């Protein structure tokens, strides 16, 4: 078993508390991604799991063993770093097998394990080269190979794709997902890129200011964020959020945004209460003037081939709509948009907490 259990994990640097009592259980074989903005504590969490940072408080167990005071080499975890951490003077073969050599393995056994990892990662043709002769994506696969040969109970990934270009990031995401499907090893993956987290993980953990804000399957966080922060952080392009006040003077509630208004479903707040409304760009659709719920003004149009992003102005705020690829738009053009009120997300305007719509 290689489950991970965090009970009230705390990290302090002198008088500064960086991690505030995190509780989390990770099942054997699960792929969990930690996401959040810079400085939220996700890399600190990973380093505590690896034993590279001392735990200030709480209890950490891996595979049923409490590891708070255990040395990194005894935790049966393997870490893949952002900067690859390869030995430039060694061949790829020697880099991958170095950890096994230091553990006293026989050369024949090391060679067999290295060949197996190279075959999995499709780097067999590079084994006699040096790291400097490889591309960034190839070097990252070597770093992964060095972790694989150890057959650890847990893989730890610390923003492994952040140094790669966009095309390579997509390719390596596929490689990592395929690797997890093959090996089934418990994996904890840290990234600032929510797209990586959504596409790779069985479960996503969102951190903010050293606190766990929400955790769950990717689509749960996408469809039911528990606060405005998660709603805006998960999803690309990010959720549109309009801030205003609830207006119950008409037949149905509306959100007053400057001099404009948006139709709402029923929401449990009194007239005049501060309210934030979220709607994702993909839930906005072009509508004829008579059927449109509102008409923002186009600011920037971004054709993407598969669709078109329209960045618009409405009520002094900015919004993004994901529209059909063949739509014709020009700057300062009003565009009628519609939406289903069932797709709206309601957040308390004072606290940012999710509100349950009726």
């Amino acid at each position: 078993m290689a489950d991970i259990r965090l009970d009230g994990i705390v990290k302090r640097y002198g008088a500064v508390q960086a991690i505030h009592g995190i509780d989390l259980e990770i099942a054997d074989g699960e792929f969990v991604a930690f996401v959040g903005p810079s400085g939220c504590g996700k890399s600190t969490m990973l380093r505590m799991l690896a034993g590279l940072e001392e735990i200030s408080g709480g209890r950490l167990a891996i595979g049923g063993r409490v590891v708070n005071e255990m040395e990194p080499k005894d935790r049966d975890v393997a870490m893949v770093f952002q900067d690859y951490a390869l030995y430039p003077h060694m061949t790829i073969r020697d880099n991958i097998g170095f950890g096994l050599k230091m553990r006293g393995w026989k050369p024949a056994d090391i060679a067999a394990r290295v060949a197996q990892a190279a075959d999995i990662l499709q780097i067999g043709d590079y084994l006699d080269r040096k790291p400097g002769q490889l591309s960034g994506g190839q070097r990252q696969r070597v770093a992964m190979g060095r972790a694989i040969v150890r057959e650890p109970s847990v893989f730890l990934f610390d923003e492994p794709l952040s140094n790669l270009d966009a095309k390579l990031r997509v390719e390596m995401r596929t490689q990592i997902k395929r690797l997890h499907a093959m090996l089934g090893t418990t994996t904890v993956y840290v990234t600032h890129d929510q797209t990586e987290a959504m596409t790779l993980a069985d479960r996503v953990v969102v951190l903010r200011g050293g606190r766990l804000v929400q955790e769950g399957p990717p689509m749960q966080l996408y469809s039911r964020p528990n606060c405005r922060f998660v709603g805006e952080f998960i999803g690309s392009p990010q959720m549109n959020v309009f801030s205003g006040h609830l207006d119950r003077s008409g037949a149905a509630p509306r959100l007053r945004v400057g001099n404009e208004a948006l139709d709402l479903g029923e929401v449990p707040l009194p007239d005049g209460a501060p309210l934030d409304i979220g709607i994702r760009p993909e839930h906005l659709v072009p509508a004829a003037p008579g059927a449109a719920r509102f008409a923002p003004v186009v600011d920037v149009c971004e054709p993407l081939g598969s669709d078109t992003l329209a960045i618009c102005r409405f009520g002094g705020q900015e919004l993004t709509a994901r529209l059909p690829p063949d739509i014709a738009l020009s700057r300062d053009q009003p565009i009628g948009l519609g939406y289903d009120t069932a797709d709206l997300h309601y957040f308390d305007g004072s606290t940012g907490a999710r509100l349950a719509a009726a």
Side-chain angles (χ1 to χ4, degrees):
M1 288 290 289
D3 60 313
I4 302 172
R5 185 182 179 101
L6 296 82
D7 294 316
I9 295 296
V10 170
K11 178 61 184 177
R12 299 185 188 91
Y13 296 98
V16 177
Q17 186 160 332
I19 303 294
H20 301 263
I22 289 182
D23 298 309
L24 184 67
E25 293 184 24
I26 300 173
D28 181 34
E30 190 175 16
F31 193 126
V32 171
F34 285 12
V35 298
S38 297
C40 72
K42 55 189 184 294
S43 288
T44 300
M45 289 294 303
L46 198 74
R47 292 176 65 83
M48 286 194 288
L49 287 172
L52 303 177
E53 289 277 1
E54 181 181 338
I55 298 171
S56 305
R59 179 178 178 272
L60 171 62
I62 299 176
R65 300 182 303 160
V66 177
V67 301
N68 288 49
E69 306 300 327
M70 195 175 288
E71 291 295 321
K73 64 183 177 61
D74 299 322
R75 296 191 181 197
D76 197 20
V77 302
M79 191 161 175
V80 178
F81 295 91
Q82 176 181 350
D83 59 357
Y84 320 131
L86 301 178
Y87 297 106
H89 62 287
M90 291 185 184
T91 65
I92 300 310
R93 188 188 310 278
D94 291 339
N95 263 282
I96 295 175
F98 183 74
L100 302 182
K101 181 180 179 181
M102 296 301 292
R103 286 170 172 79
W105 281 48
K106 295 178 181 179
D109 294 335
I110 294 174
R113 190 67 69 83
V114 169
Q116 180 185 35
D119 182 59
I120 290 172
L121 294 168
Q122 301 174 4
I123 53 175
D125 293 341
Y126 314 133
L127 290 177
D128 295 317
R129 300 184 188 182
K130 300 285 182 67
Q133 297 174 285
L134 303 186
S135 68
Q138 290 165 342
R139 277 180 281 174
Q140 192 55 273
R141 279 188 277 170
V142 173
M144 289 163 58
R146 188 173 52 192
I148 289 171
V149 293
R150 292 178 51 191
E151 295 188 347
S153 295
V154 176
F155 284 132
L156 305 175
F157 287 87
D158 188 12
E159 304 210 38
L161 309 185
S162 60
N163 290 335
L164 305 181
D165 62 38
K167 183 176 183 292
L168 273 176
R169 282 200 301 272
V170 173
E171 291 177 1
M172 288 303 300
R173 283 207 312 260
T174 302
Q175 187 76 50
I176 291 170
K177 189 150 190 159
R178 184 181 295 123
L179 182 65
H180 183 256
M182 290 174 59
L183 303 178
T185 306
T186 306
T187 299
V188 181
Y189 188 101
V190 160
T191 178
H192 65 277
D193 185 337
Q194 55 87 30
T195 300
E196 280 180 31
M198 291 279 288
T199 55
L200 286 170
D202 302 316
R203 191 154 49 110
V204 176
V205 177
V206 182
L207 299 176
R208 184 187 191 189
R211 291 180 168 84
L212 194 159
V213 182
Q214 187 175 1
E215 56 91 10
M219 288 309 298
Q220 179 180 311
L221 271 62
Y222 172 84
S223 59
R224 287 194 62 81
N226 67 2
C227 62
R228 173 174 173 167
F229 172 77
V230 174
E232 290 184 293
F233 194 83
I234 298 295
S236 180
Q238 76 172 37
M239 176 186 286
N240 299 300
V241 177
F242 303 100
S243 298
H245 290 81
L246 185 60
D247 178 4
R248 292 188 176 277
S249 62
R254 309 188 82 193
L255 179 74
R256 288 289 171 186
V257 185
N259 296 323
E260 307 286 354
L262 292 171
D263 298 327
L264 307 179
E266 190 51 61
V267 58
L269 286 177
D271 185 45
L275 177 65
D276 294 341
I277 295 298
I279 186 164
R280 298 202 176 276
E282 51 269 34
H283 292 151
L284 293 170
V285 296
R293 289 189 181 272
F294 68 125
V297 175
V298 175
D299 189 20
V300 176
C301 179
E302 297 181 348
L304 300 177
S306 59
D307 47 40
T308 294
L309 296 184
I311 294 87
C312 307
R313 305 184 300 274
F314 178 77
Q317 300 183 35
E318 184 176 278
L319 72 91
T320 300
R322 188 188 290 274
L323 303 174
D326 56 352
I327 192 167
L329 299 173
S330 58
R331 181 175 170 81
D332 296 328
Q333 168 193 344
I335 176 173
L337 295 177
Y339 56 84
D340 189 330
T341 57
D343 291 325
L344 296 178
H345 300 264
Y346 301 87
F347 305 110
D348 187 296
S350 300
T351 67
R354 184 183 184 87
L355 300 168

